[in-house]
Every structure is written in structure tokens, then in C-alpha cells.
Amino acid sequence: MTESTVAGATDVAVLNDLPARTLTRPELRELVSAIADDPAVWQQHVAYDDEHRHYVCLHRDANVDVWVLCWTPSNDTGWHDHDVSSGAVAVADGEVTEHNLVIGSAALEVRVPAGHSFSFGPDHIHRMTGVAEGSVSIHAYSPPLWRMGQYAISTTGVLRRTSVSYADELRPIDEPFPDDQERLRDAALHP
Ligand SMILES: [Fe+2]
């Protein structure tokens, strides 16, 4: 992460007129689409980094947080969930890919170009990667992100969840766990 502070006081109409409650998925999608359509809101926060994804919090209150995320083709969130939050993503510039985990076969990949959006509930597990250089997406979550689940798939295919803070940079952690071989041996000894 190269920047995480909430951007200065907002004068964005759509952010000053939010309901004082948890937002629905359609409301989140409408919110991110409105912001994506207004480059004056997010353009000054755009920067790119192949090593550490660049993102800035545009707004955070008790009910919703809104972020601008910048993507290069090297950027990858790894598999994650959003704990109790629903969310929506609108691509403002370029193109990103949303990956959906499928047990036993290759992940489903959906390319999302500028001008398109999607939403998801707390049950959703996904991974996002940049496609085009210079891509930008707007994300909103309600309730606001606090904890998230980051998933690792070991070399033996075992899936594990790690709870991380919303302030941590999500990144792939698909590395072998040191105790995998031990677990396999134990399973063989004690079927
Ligand atoms: Fe996500």
C-alpha cells in the first residue's frame, strides 16, 4: 500500500447525501458508478506501483467506505473475502479482471472494462488483477471494511483463511505451508 489516509474533506455531492444506515448492493453500485463517472473526484489520487498496489480512501463513515484503486497488470489482490461487508466495484479507466474461485477446476475470470460495474455480498470470495496499464476502479463497502479474509492455497490444494485488517495490503499468499507434509503424514498414519 502506498497511501491509506482518507482523502481531504469531500465536496462530492453523492458522498454528502448518503443514507445513515447500511447500504444495499444496488445503492453501493450506484454510488461507485457515480464516482467513477466523475474523474474530478478521483483523478488527483491516481498513481501506479507494480510492487505495492496504490489505493486511497475517498470516504469513510459508520456505514460505508469508498476507495479509489489503481492497477497495473502486475497488481493482484490474491483470494480474499470482505468479512461481513457487501461491496461494489466500478471500473473508471482501463480494465480489471475479477476471478472467482472454483473448487476442482480453473477459476472463472470476468474482464470488467471501464464503464462497467458489479456488486457482491459478504458471501463472495474473489481475486482482482489489473489488465490494462493505467487502470482505475472505485470500490465501496457497507458496513465499512474492518477485517477481511485472505486465502492461501497450498501446494497440496488445501485452502486456508487468514484474517487481516482492512489497512493491510491484500496480496497473493499462495505458498506451501510448512506443516503440510506433516499433516499428510499424520493423515496417512491415522486414516
Ligand atoms: Fe475484494
Side-chain angles (χ1 to χ4, degrees), residues 80 82 126 141:
H80 65 277
H82 313 83
H126 72 173
Y141 306 94

Side-chain angles (χ1 to χ4, degrees), residues 53-67:
R53 290 184 302 106
H54 180 83
Y55 47 90
V56 173
C57 185
L58 292 174
H59 175 87
R60 185 177 181 90
D61 64 27
N63 299 299
V64 63
D65 57 348
V66 183
W67 302 75

Side-chain angles (χ1 to χ4, degrees), residues 21-29 86 142:
R21 55 166 171 75
T22 300
L23 276 67
T24 66
R25 285 176 54 179
E27 287 171 336
L28 286 168
R29 199 169 175 183
S86 293
S142 186

Side-chain angles (χ1 to χ4, degrees), residues 67 115 132 150 167 186:
W67 302 75
Q150 177 89 70
D186 290 348

